[in-house]
Amino acid sequence: MKANPVPIAVESYGDSAVMVTVDHDRPATRRAGIVDFRARFLARRPPGVLDVISGLESLLVEYDPLVTGPGHIEYAARLIDDLPPEPRSSGAPAPARFRIPVVFDAETGPDLANVADELGLTTAEVIDTMVSSTFTIALLGAATAPMMDGLAVPKPVRRRAEPRTDVVPGSIMIAGTNAIIQPFPGPTGWRVVGRTPHVIVDITRSRPMSYSTGDVVRFVPITADEALALDGTFLLPEGGDA
């Protein structure tokens, strides 16, 4: 009997990679399935695999074409997909929990009003949705930005038709049913709805970030004056030490 009832799809991606996805019509099932497959694949990493890059609903497997090929990687992936889920180690750390202070206003969240209009909500209701949602860090995006699942909106939020060119660090952004925090200045097509005064990535620290995939995040609204006292401080989990 197949251990994993949700099948995977494996397709060649260029001349030295394959893309693995989960064949299901529900996004939540696809995302959960690819997380589960990734854990089993990494535990039994086939020879010749150079890197495994996570997406929200996909896994890019890069390999050395002098050592292996797409047929071998696909064969290994399907064998691994038939195996039982990787058991959680009893010594594995529990997910960290974060309560992240955020200023939600027109200055820090220039897309807040447009998101409210799109969803048929007031800006206060959008903020309430952000605050009442429980987020889980699904993957680390560009520059280790935490990309999170769990935004409880009436319908997925569209990205901007025209991306912003320079979003400030700490910006809280949403798209679809996901949220992400901008670690460094840069462009984005996500909707900017607020900003945390915390620094979430500090390359001068021995551990530049305190979060990882699987950690749980809640947003806490604060005023602009309250943010001044926290400006530039490093983000730590509940009960964490500096």
Side-chain angles (χ1 to χ4, degrees), residues 104 111-117 121-129:
F104 294 103
D111 293 315
L112 192 56
N114 288 337
V115 169
D117 289 342
L121 303 173
T122 65
T123 55
E125 288 171 331
V126 173
I127 295 169
D128 286 343
T129 297

Side-chain angles (χ1 to χ4, degrees), residues 129-182:
T129 297
M130 294 291 297
V131 171
S132 62
S133 296
T134 298
F135 296 91
T136 301
I137 299 177
L139 61 91
L140 304 183
T144 66
M147 188 178 295
M148 299 168 276
D149 285 331
L151 179 60
V153 283
K155 61 181 180 180
V157 177
R158 293 176 296 183
R159 296 194 182 205
R160 287 178 54 87
E162 184 177 342
R164 296 184 182 279
T165 58
D166 193 17
V167 177
V168 299
S171 292
I172 309 298
M173 306 179 296
I174 60 176
T177 56
N178 306 106
I180 195 168
I181 306 175
Q182 186 88 342

Side-chain angles (χ1 to χ4, degrees), residues 15-210:
D15 58 4
S16 60
V18 299
M19 182 71 78
V20 182
T21 55
V22 172
D23 188 10
H24 200 276
D25 58 357
R26 293 185 64 247
T29 301
R30 295 196 298 267
R31 293 173 186 179
I34 205 66
V35 169
D36 173 70
F37 175 79
R38 178 181 184 273
R40 284 180 283 131
F41 189 83
L42 289 177
R44 303 169 178 87
R45 191 183 187 113
V49 170
L50 299 176
D51 199 6
V52 176
I53 303 168
S54 297
L56 276 176
E57 299 181 4
S58 63
L59 200 70
L60 182 67
V61 180
E62 297 181 339
Y63 59 85
D64 184 346
L66 299 178
V67 176
T68 187
H72 292 96
I73 298 296
E74 178 175 359
Y75 180 71
R78 295 196 182 281
L79 285 179
I80 291 169
D81 189 46
D82 279 332
L83 296 173
E86 190 67 15
R88 180 185 171 91
S89 169
S90 59
R97 293 184 174 272
F98 293 84
R99 289 175 58 83
I100 301 180
V102 179
V103 178
F104 294 103
D105 59 23
E107 181 180 355
T108 63
D111 293 315
L112 192 56
N114 288 337
V115 169
D117 289 342
E118 179 182 323
L119 297 177
L121 303 173
T122 65
T123 55
E125 288 171 331
V126 173
I127 295 169
D128 286 343
T129 297
M130 294 291 297
V131 171
S132 62
S133 296
T134 298
F135 296 91
T136 301
I137 299 177
L139 61 91
L140 304 183
T144 66
M147 188 178 295
M148 299 168 276
D149 285 331
L151 179 60
V153 283
K155 61 181 180 180
V157 177
R158 293 176 296 183
R159 296 194 182 205
R160 287 178 54 87
E162 184 177 342
R164 296 184 182 279
T165 58
D166 193 17
V167 177
V168 299
S171 292
I172 309 298
M173 306 179 296
I174 60 176
T177 56
N178 306 106
I180 195 168
I181 306 175
Q182 186 88 342
F184 302 107
T188 185
W190 290 51
R191 304 290 192 91
V192 182
V193 296
R195 181 180 179 272
T196 179
H198 282 310
V199 171
I200 69 165
V201 177
D202 182 352
I203 61 174
T204 67
R205 296 172 62 92
S206 58
R207 186 182 177 190
M209 57 189 185
S210 56

